[in-house]
Amino acid sequence: MPVVYLIVIYRIPNSPMAILSLYNKHILLGVTGGIAAYKSAELVRRLQDAGAQVQVVMTPAAQEFITPLTLQALSGNPVHTQLLDPEAEAGMGHIQLARWADLVLVAPATADFIARLAQGMGNDLLTSICLATAAPLTLAPAMNQGMWRNQSTQANVNILRDRGIQLFGPTDGSQACGDIGPGRMLEPTQLVEAAAGLFQTGLLAGKKVVITAGPTREAIDPVRYISNHSSGKMGYALAEAAAEAGAHTLLISGPTQLPCPARVTRIDVVSAVDMFAASLREAADCDLFIASAAVADYRPREVAEQKIKKGEGESITLTLVKNPDIVAAVARLPQRPFTVGFAAESEHLVEYARRKLVRKKLDLVIANDITQPGIGFNSDNNAVTLVDAAGEQVIDQRSKTQLARELVTILAEKLASSSHHHS
């Protein structure tokens, strides 16, 4: 049998920006005691491929899963393991390490480490560095799905998020214990991209972007409502892309099942009237407003105080009244932002989108054909046509994440060349 060698060359997908934004950055990688620690070895290499300098700090439990020698060989630096190590203190103690770091990334971050960090403990080298550093602190949680879902863990995670600590992941997948569920650590390439995203100044640096997303719910009585099939995926992807591009990003979201993207502030609303109020409040001083929510056009005139009982008759009559038009109201503001609307159409796509552009005085309309299979509501993919005064531009089908990045790039250029962005 001839011997066949398979050579796999790893690349970070589509991220020249990632490479640039991690170049020469000091990344302090914390490794805690989870089975995912075996991936930390590859993570060191990927971070270095992106041009970063890496110092590794391991907890005692981490050393049960992977040896310091492995990470030392990969990082080219001595691995730090002890808080009160006389040799390490002479070289690089916890205060020096805390000052050295541009970013502290803990991957994997176990439930125990998250709990200790939430309590503000400094009972080992890694927690002490986390307490002492002024650098952004990011965690890549990795644990059994039961531990991740546990109330204590979720409470600790919320404490950390409130302190501005970012979590990358976890994601769903098969776990070492055989379970399937949330708790699996993101892959090294994904963590490199996420870390790079923190350093991207981007095309919208210093701009305030407000995005509406998801459906609205219009109450009929305390238990029933009128709504639609919007998943919010497109709006959330746009918010993530705007944050990546350096914008101060606000996401005004109807009820969805989606987690809020990193570096995005989410304002939760339920009804169209709530969304209208939040949108006008936030749009007053924003640079770019993107109305991607599927807002209910009508709401019941009266909301019953009590649950409507099933009557004797065959039918019930609801009187619906028109909801306020959010995007048109934003476009009419005296200090108006660059205003972008969405048009979901089933026919005459460009013609209807252009009518909407003119009627509502918008700067741009993003139109998608809801009759096309595999795109639009609830799908992970989308294809759109951009319609503005200059003409039309078609962006063919791709993932909503990729599409969002492309849209943000186009919108940033149009915003920069438009006459009414804030000076």
mmCIF file of all heavy atoms in Angstrom, residues 38-55:
data_model
loop_
_atom_site.group_PDB
_atom_site.id
_atom_site.type_symbol
_atom_site.label_atom_id
_atom_site.label_comp_id
_atom_site.label_asym_id
_atom_site.label_seq_id
_atom_site.Cartn_x
_atom_site.Cartn_y
_atom_site.Cartn_z
ATOM 1 N N TYR A 38 -7.692 21.121 24.785
ATOM 2 C CA TYR A 38 -6.858 20.605 23.681
ATOM 3 C C TYR A 38 -6.931 21.545 22.473
ATOM 4 O O TYR A 38 -6.011 21.607 21.663
ATOM 5 C CB TYR A 38 -7.248 19.171 23.302
ATOM 6 C CG TYR A 38 -8.491 19.030 22.457
ATOM 7 C CD1 TYR A 38 -8.408 18.962 21.062
ATOM 8 C CD2 TYR A 38 -9.758 18.970 23.024
ATOM 9 C CE1 TYR A 38 -9.541 18.836 20.274
ATOM 10 C CE2 TYR A 38 -10.902 18.837 22.247
ATOM 11 C CZ TYR A 38 -10.791 18.778 20.879
ATOM 12 O OH TYR A 38 -11.915 18.658 20.102
ATOM 13 N N LYS A 39 -8.025 22.301 22.339
ATOM 14 C CA LYS A 39 -8.158 23.238 21.219
ATOM 15 C C LYS A 39 -7.335 24.508 21.443
ATOM 16 O O LYS A 39 -7.087 25.266 20.507
ATOM 17 C CB LYS A 39 -9.627 23.640 21.023
ATOM 18 C CG LYS A 39 -10.531 22.504 20.578
ATOM 19 C CD LYS A 39 -11.939 23.034 20.351
ATOM 20 C CE LYS A 39 -12.888 21.912 19.977
ATOM 21 N NZ LYS A 39 -14.263 22.412 19.815
ATOM 22 N N SER A 40 -6.959 24.765 22.700
ATOM 23 C CA SER A 40 -6.200 25.988 23.005
ATOM 24 C C SER A 40 -4.845 25.974 22.306
ATOM 25 O O SER A 40 -4.297 27.025 21.978
ATOM 26 C CB SER A 40 -6.014 26.139 24.514
ATOM 27 O OG SER A 40 -7.267 26.110 25.160
ATOM 28 N N ALA A 41 -4.296 24.775 22.083
ATOM 29 C CA ALA A 41 -3.014 24.666 21.392
ATOM 30 C C ALA A 41 -3.141 25.227 19.974
ATOM 31 O O ALA A 41 -2.318 26.021 19.523
ATOM 32 C CB ALA A 41 -2.564 23.203 21.346
ATOM 33 N N GLU A 42 -4.206 24.839 19.279
ATOM 34 C CA GLU A 42 -4.404 25.358 17.928
ATOM 35 C C GLU A 42 -4.722 26.853 17.962
ATOM 36 O O GLU A 42 -4.303 27.613 17.092
ATOM 37 C CB GLU A 42 -5.536 24.615 17.210
ATOM 38 C CG GLU A 42 -5.492 24.906 15.710
ATOM 39 C CD GLU A 42 -6.770 24.575 14.959
ATOM 40 O OE1 GLU A 42 -7.572 23.764 15.451
ATOM 41 O OE2 GLU A 42 -6.952 25.155 13.878
ATOM 42 N N LEU A 43 -5.446 27.270 19.004
ATOM 43 C CA LEU A 43 -5.802 28.686 19.127
ATOM 44 C C LEU A 43 -4.549 29.563 19.224
ATOM 45 O O LEU A 43 -4.477 30.623 18.606
ATOM 46 C CB LEU A 43 -6.715 28.895 20.336
ATOM 47 C CG LEU A 43 -7.180 30.316 20.631
ATOM 48 C CD1 LEU A 43 -7.882 30.938 19.423
ATOM 49 C CD2 LEU A 43 -8.116 30.329 21.837
ATOM 50 N N VAL A 44 -3.545 29.102 19.972
ATOM 51 C CA VAL A 44 -2.280 29.852 20.081
ATOM 52 C C VAL A 44 -1.685 30.049 18.687
ATOM 53 O O VAL A 44 -1.305 31.160 18.302
ATOM 54 C CB VAL A 44 -1.261 29.098 20.979
ATOM 55 C CG1 VAL A 44 0.113 29.762 20.898
ATOM 56 C CG2 VAL A 44 -1.748 29.058 22.420
ATOM 57 N N ARG A 45 -1.652 28.962 17.930
ATOM 58 C CA ARG A 45 -1.062 29.010 16.588
ATOM 59 C C ARG A 45 -1.846 29.936 15.666
ATOM 60 O O ARG A 45 -1.290 30.720 14.914
ATOM 61 C CB ARG A 45 -1.019 27.574 16.040
ATOM 62 C CG ARG A 45 -0.450 27.370 14.657
ATOM 63 C CD ARG A 45 0.910 27.985 14.432
ATOM 64 N NE ARG A 45 1.980 27.560 15.300
ATOM 65 C CZ ARG A 45 2.689 26.440 15.152
ATOM 66 N NH1 ARG A 45 2.407 25.585 14.192
ATOM 67 N NH2 ARG A 45 3.679 26.176 15.961
ATOM 68 N N ARG A 46 -3.176 29.849 15.724
ATOM 69 C CA ARG A 46 -4.032 30.703 14.865
ATOM 70 C C ARG A 46 -3.858 32.184 15.211
ATOM 71 O O ARG A 46 -3.842 33.036 14.330
ATOM 72 C CB ARG A 46 -5.502 30.340 15.003
ATOM 73 C CG ARG A 46 -5.887 28.949 14.582
ATOM 74 C CD ARG A 46 -5.827 28.733 13.081
ATOM 75 N NE ARG A 46 -5.372 27.381 12.816
ATOM 76 C CZ ARG A 46 -4.185 27.056 12.355
ATOM 77 N NH1 ARG A 46 -3.315 27.995 12.054
ATOM 78 N NH2 ARG A 46 -3.844 25.810 12.174
ATOM 79 N N LEU A 47 -3.766 32.487 16.500
ATOM 80 C CA LEU A 47 -3.572 33.888 16.919
ATOM 81 C C LEU A 47 -2.238 34.408 16.394
ATOM 82 O O LEU A 47 -2.133 35.543 15.934
ATOM 83 C CB LEU A 47 -3.637 34.003 18.443
ATOM 84 C CG LEU A 47 -5.027 33.857 19.059
ATOM 85 C CD1 LEU A 47 -4.925 33.643 20.567
ATOM 86 C CD2 LEU A 47 -5.903 35.073 18.763
ATOM 87 N N GLN A 48 -1.223 33.550 16.453
ATOM 88 C CA GLN A 48 0.090 33.963 15.933
ATOM 89 C C GLN A 48 0.062 34.125 14.419
ATOM 90 O O GLN A 48 0.675 35.041 13.878
ATOM 91 C CB GLN A 48 1.150 32.941 16.326
ATOM 92 C CG GLN A 48 1.475 33.002 17.807
ATOM 93 C CD GLN A 48 2.464 31.925 18.202
ATOM 94 O OE1 GLN A 48 2.392 30.807 17.706
ATOM 95 N NE2 GLN A 48 3.365 32.256 19.093
ATOM 96 N N ASP A 49 -0.684 33.252 13.737
ATOM 97 C CA ASP A 49 -0.830 33.378 12.283
ATOM 98 C C ASP A 49 -1.414 34.742 11.929
ATOM 99 O O ASP A 49 -1.144 35.298 10.864
ATOM 100 C CB ASP A 49 -1.762 32.292 11.727
ATOM 101 C CG ASP A 49 -1.091 30.924 11.698
ATOM 102 O OD1 ASP A 49 0.119 30.842 11.993
ATOM 103 O OD2 ASP A 49 -1.785 29.933 11.391
ATOM 104 N N ALA A 50 -2.278 35.267 12.809
ATOM 105 C CA ALA A 50 -2.915 36.565 12.569
ATOM 106 C C ALA A 50 -2.013 37.722 13.004
ATOM 107 O O ALA A 50 -2.424 38.873 12.965
ATOM 108 C CB ALA A 50 -4.254 36.626 13.299
ATOM 109 N N GLY A 51 -0.797 37.390 13.452
ATOM 110 C CA GLY A 51 0.164 38.439 13.786
ATOM 111 C C GLY A 51 0.203 38.842 15.249
ATOM 112 O O GLY A 51 0.903 39.777 15.619
ATOM 113 N N ALA A 52 -0.556 38.140 16.092
ATOM 114 C CA ALA A 52 -0.591 38.500 17.513
ATOM 115 C C ALA A 52 0.583 37.894 18.273
ATOM 116 O O ALA A 52 1.130 36.863 17.878
ATOM 117 C CB ALA A 52 -1.903 38.029 18.131
ATOM 118 N N GLN A 53 0.954 38.557 19.378
ATOM 119 C CA GLN A 53 1.897 37.969 20.331
ATOM 120 C C GLN A 53 1.074 37.343 21.453
ATOM 121 O O GLN A 53 0.134 37.965 21.939
ATOM 122 C CB GLN A 53 2.818 39.036 20.903
ATOM 123 C CG GLN A 53 3.701 39.703 19.856
ATOM 124 C CD GLN A 53 4.572 40.774 20.488
ATOM 125 O OE1 GLN A 53 5.112 40.604 21.578
ATOM 126 N NE2 GLN A 53 4.689 41.906 19.808
ATOM 127 N N VAL A 54 1.430 36.131 21.841
ATOM 128 C CA VAL A 54 0.597 35.390 22.798
ATOM 129 C C VAL A 54 1.390 34.980 24.033
ATOM 130 O O VAL A 54 2.479 34.424 23.922
ATOM 131 C CB VAL A 54 0.007 34.117 22.131
ATOM 132 C CG1 VAL A 54 -0.952 33.397 23.081
ATOM 133 C CG2 VAL A 54 -0.718 34.471 20.831
ATOM 134 N N GLN A 55 0.849 35.300 25.194
ATOM 135 C CA GLN A 55 1.343 34.756 26.468
ATOM 136 C C GLN A 55 0.239 33.875 27.028
ATOM 137 O O GLN A 55 -0.942 34.246 26.969
ATOM 138 C CB GLN A 55 1.618 35.882 27.476
ATOM 139 C CG GLN A 55 2.712 36.837 27.067
ATOM 140 C CD GLN A 55 4.063 36.482 27.682
ATOM 141 O OE1 GLN A 55 4.233 35.443 28.320
ATOM 142 N NE2 GLN A 55 5.035 37.359 27.474
#
